[in-house]
Structures are given as C-alpha cells and as structure tokens.
Amino acid sequence: MTRTWNKGWMGACVALLGAACGDAPMASDSTAQALSSPGDIEVVNTDKDGTPTFIRGRLGQLTPHLAARGTPDALRTVASVFGLSAEELTVRSSRADDQGATHVRYDQTHHGVRVIGGELVVHVDSTGQVYAANGSARGAREPSTLMRLPLSAVKHAALEGMEQLVVRGEPRFVYFLEAGGTLASAYEVTRVGVRDGDPARDLVYVDAASGRVLDVRPQIHAGMNRRVHSANGSWMTPGTLRRTEGAGPTWDGHIDQNYDHIGTTYQCFETVFGRDSFDDRGAAITSTVHYGDGYVNAYWDGTQIVFGDGDGFSSGELGLDLDVVSHEIAHAVTQYESGLVYRSESGALNESLSDMVAAICESWSRGGALDADVWKIGEDIWTPHVNGDALRYMDSPTRDGSSRDYYPERYTGSSDNGGVHWNSGIPNLVFKLLVTGGPHPRGKTATWVNGIGMNRAAQTFYFAATNYFTATTTMSQAKAYTIQAAQDRYDASVVSAVRDAWNAAGVP
C-alpha cells in the first residue's frame, strides 16, 4: 500500500471512486477531498496492487499556459489521487494536439531527485478542464536505508558478467520506484560496448545499498535533414559522410536508396501526423550503411540509425528496405515521446509501434495500398533466395515461427529482452485488424472487428502513443489508452472497433 492510500484506497471493486465499496477504510483527507463527489472520478485502469494508473472525469481547471509552472488546485487534486503532492511533480513537456487539448508530462521527484519509473500525464481540454490523468507515478515509502556503496562497487555491479561492456561517465544518484510502491536509493549507470555481436548501450539501475541490479533498460533498438554515412565495412559509426540533404547521387545503391527511404519516411510522418523529423523539431537524420562485415541487423542507437549489409543469405542490405528504415526512425520517435522501456510488454509495444509505422508508411508511399506486402516487415531484403517471405507478418504473426498473436499465450521468459520482438505480434495483429477488420487469424477468439481504415487506425495509435503512453505502459494499459484516444477523436463506432481489436487478441 502506498503512503496516501494506506488509509483510503478502495481497491478495484468499483468503477467510480467516491461510491460505496464494501468495508473499505475511510479515505485520507486529501484523497477524500479529491473524491468527494460520487462519479466525479472514474478509475479506468489500475496497477496490480490496485493503485490507479488511469483516471478520468471532471478533475478541475488547469490553464494550459500555467501547466508548466505553479501548483494549481487541479494539479493538487490529481496528484492526491495518485498518492502524491503536487510539489513532487516536475514538468517534462507540454503538447497541444489537433483537437485543442493539451497533454502535460510530469516526472516524479523525491526531495528534488528524479524517481525512475514514476511519471504522470495530465490531459487538459480546450476550456482548461482536466479530463484525464494517467501514468506510473504514486506515493511511495522512504528507502529502508541511507547506506550507499562506493561508486567503484556500483560500477562493478553494473558490469558483472558483461566482459565487452564498459561504464561511460559517472553514475547518477536517483530513486527507483519498485513494485509495491517502495523507493530504492539507486544509481543510474550508462554502460556501452558489444553484446552478442551487436552494439549495446544500456541504462543500468543499481541499488545504492546492496549493489543489486534493479533494472536494465537497453537504449539501442534492434530522421528532413539527411546525412548518410558509410562505415566502409568497419564497426565504427558514423563513418565517412557520403551524402547530405540536397546532394546528388553517389552511385552507391545502398547509400542512395537509404537516402530516398529516409526521405519517404520523413514525408510520411509530416503528411500523416504533421510531425517534423523524429523530435518534431526538424532534427537532422543521421544514417550509417555498410556497417560491419556481413552484419544482419539495423538499429537506432539513441542518436542515429545504422544498417548492416547483411550476409546475402539471411538478408540483403538492410538500408534498402523502406520497412526497415521507417521502423528504425519510429524507434527515435518513441524515444522522444513516451520512451517505452525496451523490455517485456513496454518493449513489445515499442517494437510494435515501429512495425505499425512501417505498414503506415509503405501504404502511404503506395497510394493507400492495403495488400499483403503492407503487412509484411522487411520483405524486400529478408532471405533474398526465398520469394514471398518476410521477417514478420502483422496479419498472421505466428507465421514467422516465434511471434505471438494471442495475449494469454505471450512469451514471459527473459530471452529477446523479455520477448520484445515475439510479443510485438499481439499489438501488430490488433492494429491490422483495426485497419481491415476481420477475426483472429487462428480463431483464438470469436470477436469480429469492424475495420476503420488505415488513417483512423494510424491517428488513434499515434495519438495514444504521443499523449498517453508512458515508459512502462503495458498492453492492458495500451488498450485503455487507445480506447481513450479514439474517444477523444472519433465517434462510438471507432471506439468499439478499437476495443474489439484488442479483445480479438485476448488482451484483458
């Protein structure tokens, strides 16, 4: 139980807070005030321990231009529902959407120090009325000890078992929000190097008292100012600059086609979503091709996109495929928006959003096509000697032999960063069904989805991903957020279709 809710949290036994709930204890003063009128606040989604993660209702006034300073009463009310004080929230960003609403992201702090895993998004309509709030922030108990290990021991703990990695920079003191609402004193350590033959850059959170690794968050996920480089077969990036924005062809096919695909992706984001590069501020998009020797992969490393030449058997040159290019740039967009942690369900959503962008941009580049190739990922470069196959299949995820398409059958082990690629098949299928309609391809559920077309499906997921998703969003939460996004933008038929699409894939 959390600091505030230990007197007043009424659990998940009712949908509307403020209503009777069996023998639930009385709320604390701040919580009781926030929930004083029955039906004022609806709990849409809760964490496993019953703490709210998504609420909506009439939550008070918060003038958008004041959202980034001061502590309006509405912010105090919202914070109290999550067991916080308004002073524990620091504005990270504020975004106005095309419906006239403003979405303000807050980081949770404790004694002025960042709480990793705690964030809150407050949603304000055009009249200044707060109509929803969601996130992982919560009131938390103090760390059980003030003891801190020497920084040398912290660095050693972050590198244990990682022979090809080194620590970059000095560890940064933070608090880490653990399951159950406990704060741990911790250090954030950046480690870089090579893991399993691929470049690695991780944020590692080490318990300051025990040296226990609390979490590892990979930053490399396996931008129209274009700068295309060649690594010339080396393992160094960015390499030699070969083509800049507006320059003529180099007559190196990998460089020139990669340049063109970056341009197509940029134009797709600009036309479909009104977005200016991956940071929405016109950032230069840096790319490196001819990376490594027979390297069968592509990735966004936090600052640029990188493409191997493939081995000629498993894949060809990866930068030649629009799917691969748009997929990697979408990782950059996610980094600048929700920052979905690249692990377990949030990591699967991260991967899936990139696959969705690949489908969106391929369809857009071909005049709105919705044929079989739109739902294949990497079909232009995957196994060049095999016709018609692909790396992943959004319309039938299990076809690749490893991806899942039904939530109760999701992968729950530790491989693939907790199944980030394999479990991405579940939201991939949700998106495909939402676009075209239809049933689960293997008949796992009896739900029939009425398709709403590519544009409305794309807008719904993009709106949710940029305005509702947080770093640790789960699939259940993504379901709630995309339903809310549909409600924000469209009529009841679209809201029902979004709900049905998630239901078809068995997401609770």
Side-chain angles (χ1 to χ4, degrees):
M1 303 297 273
T2 61
R3 185 183 60 210
T4 297
W5 295 111
N6 59 4
K7 294 182 180 179
W9 174 233
M10 292 177 278
C13 58
V14 292
L16 298 179
L17 287 174
C21 185
D23 297 323
M26 293 298 293
S28 65
D29 291 343
S30 61
T31 303
Q33 182 178 359
L35 309 175
S36 57
S37 300
D40 277 355
I41 301 177
E42 177 190 1
V43 177
V44 181
N45 196 273
T46 64
D47 210 342
K48 291 180 179 178
D49 65 358
T51 304
T53 61
F54 184 19
I55 62 173
R56 62 187 175 200
R58 295 184 61 82
L59 306 176
Q61 293 290 125
L62 182 65
T63 304
H65 76 273
L66 293 177
R69 63 180 186 271
T71 52
D73 288 342
L75 183 57
R76 295 186 186 279
T77 297
V78 170
S80 70
V81 176
F82 290 84
L84 300 164
S85 68
E87 289 73 20
E88 292 177 281
L89 298 172
T90 301
V91 172
R92 184 200 307 172
S93 65
S94 180
R95 169 195 296 277
D97 66 37
D98 58 359
Q99 305 297 302
T102 300
H103 310 271
V104 188
R105 286 183 181 269
Y106 294 89
D107 287 324
Q108 182 179 347
T109 64
H110 185 68
H111 300 318
V113 177
R114 171 80 186 278
V115 175
I116 303 300
E119 56 184 314
L120 191 68
V121 192
V122 177
H123 309 277
V124 189
D125 69 19
S126 59
T127 70
Q129 176 70 225
V130 178
Y131 65 89
N134 68 278
S136 56
R138 60 173 65 190
R141 295 189 294 273
E142 291 281 344
S144 58
T145 176
L146 298 178
M147 188 181 81
R148 297 190 194 178
L149 292 170
L151 292 185
S152 59
V154 172
K155 294 177 182 179
H156 178 77
L159 295 176
E160 188 171 0
M162 300 289 168
E163 297 179 356
Q164 293 181 285
L165 298 176
V166 297
V167 170
R168 174 177 289 173
E170 287 299 305
R172 176 175 72 115
F173 181 75
V174 296
Y175 290 106
F176 189 90
L177 188 59
E178 296 192 275
T182 300
L183 283 182
S185 297
Y187 285 99
E188 179 184 84
V189 183
T190 301
R191 68 185 187 193
V192 299
V194 177
R195 181 175 50 243
D196 298 329
D198 291 327
R201 183 167 66 87
D202 305 327
L203 295 180
V204 185
Y205 295 96
V206 179
D207 189 291
S210 67
R212 176 171 60 96
V213 173
L214 299 169
D215 200 9
V216 177
R217 300 188 172 183
Q219 301 300 292
I220 290 182
H221 306 155
M224 163 102 110
N225 183 1
R226 290 165 287 182
R227 300 176 63 83
V228 183
H229 301 70
S230 173
N232 302 307
S234 76
W235 300 97
M236 301 294 291
T237 59
T240 306
L241 181 60
R242 294 291 307 279
R243 190 172 179 184
T244 58
E245 186 65 37
T250 65
W251 309 115
D252 179 321
H254 201 175
I255 290 170
D256 292 336
Q257 195 160 336
N258 186 250
Y259 175 92
D260 291 343
H261 286 332
I262 294 170
T264 299
T265 303
Y266 176 92
Q267 292 160 7
C268 171
F269 268 106
E270 183 180 47
T271 302
V272 177
F273 302 120
R275 190 179 187 91
D276 183 7
S277 192
F278 57 83
D279 67 345
D280 203 18
R281 293 178 176 85
I285 303 173
T286 301
S287 177
T288 295
V289 302
H290 299 311
Y291 176 75
D293 181 12
Y295 185 60
V296 184
N297 208 349
Y299 62 89
W300 162 258
D301 73 355
T303 60
Q304 70 161 98
I305 47 179
V306 182
F307 303 90
D309 284 342
D311 58 6
F313 180 78
S314 294
S315 83
E317 296 174 321
L318 282 95
L320 299 180
D321 192 308
L322 176 61
D323 289 344
V324 178
V325 174
S326 54
H327 176 104
E328 300 306 334
I329 293 176
H331 278 310
V333 174
T334 296
Q335 174 182 311
Y336 276 81
E337 295 296 344
S338 63
L340 283 164
V341 175
Y342 201 64
R343 171 181 47 75
S344 302
E345 288 195 27
S346 59
L349 287 167
N350 193 324
E351 274 296 316
S352 179
L353 288 175
S354 283
D355 281 353
M356 291 178 199
V357 167
I360 292 164
C361 288
E362 178 166 344
S363 175
W364 175 83
S365 71
R366 296 201 285 119
L370 291 177
D371 57 25
D373 276 358
V374 168
W375 307 112
K376 294 178 181 179
I377 303 299
E379 71 276 8
D380 293 336
I381 52 84
W382 195 244
T383 54
H385 60 291
V386 178
N387 292 326
D389 71 339
L391 179 61
R392 286 187 294 279
Y393 306 86
M394 298 180 71
D395 59 343
S396 184
T398 60
R399 185 178 168 189
D400 66 14
S402 59
S403 291
R404 308 304 201 259
D405 64 1
Y406 183 53
Y407 186 79
E409 296 175 355
R410 68 195 181 281
Y411 175 78
T412 58
S414 60
S415 297
D416 186 37
N417 279 342
V420 296
H421 293 92
W422 303 332
N423 288 335
S424 67
I426 297 166
N428 278 358
L429 178 61
V430 170
F431 183 75
K432 193 275 175 182
L433 291 176
L434 185 59
V435 173
T436 66
H440 189 284
R442 296 192 298 133
K444 285 292 180 177
T445 61
T447 304
W448 178 274
V449 182
N450 291 316
I452 63 173
M454 180 64 84
N455 185 59
R456 288 191 293 179
Q459 299 297 339
T460 298
F461 268 84
Y462 180 78
F463 194 90
T466 55
N467 296 315
Y468 286 96
F469 282 23
T470 64
T472 55
T473 292
T474 64
M475 290 193 199
S476 176
Q477 291 165 354
K479 177 180 181 177
Y481 300 159
T482 50
I483 290 170
Q484 180 66 45
Q487 184 171 310
D488 291 346
R489 301 179 63 87
Y490 301 116
D491 62 23
S493 65
V494 174
V495 176
S496 294
V498 174
R499 181 180 292 108
D500 289 344
W502 286 101
N503 289 344
V507 177

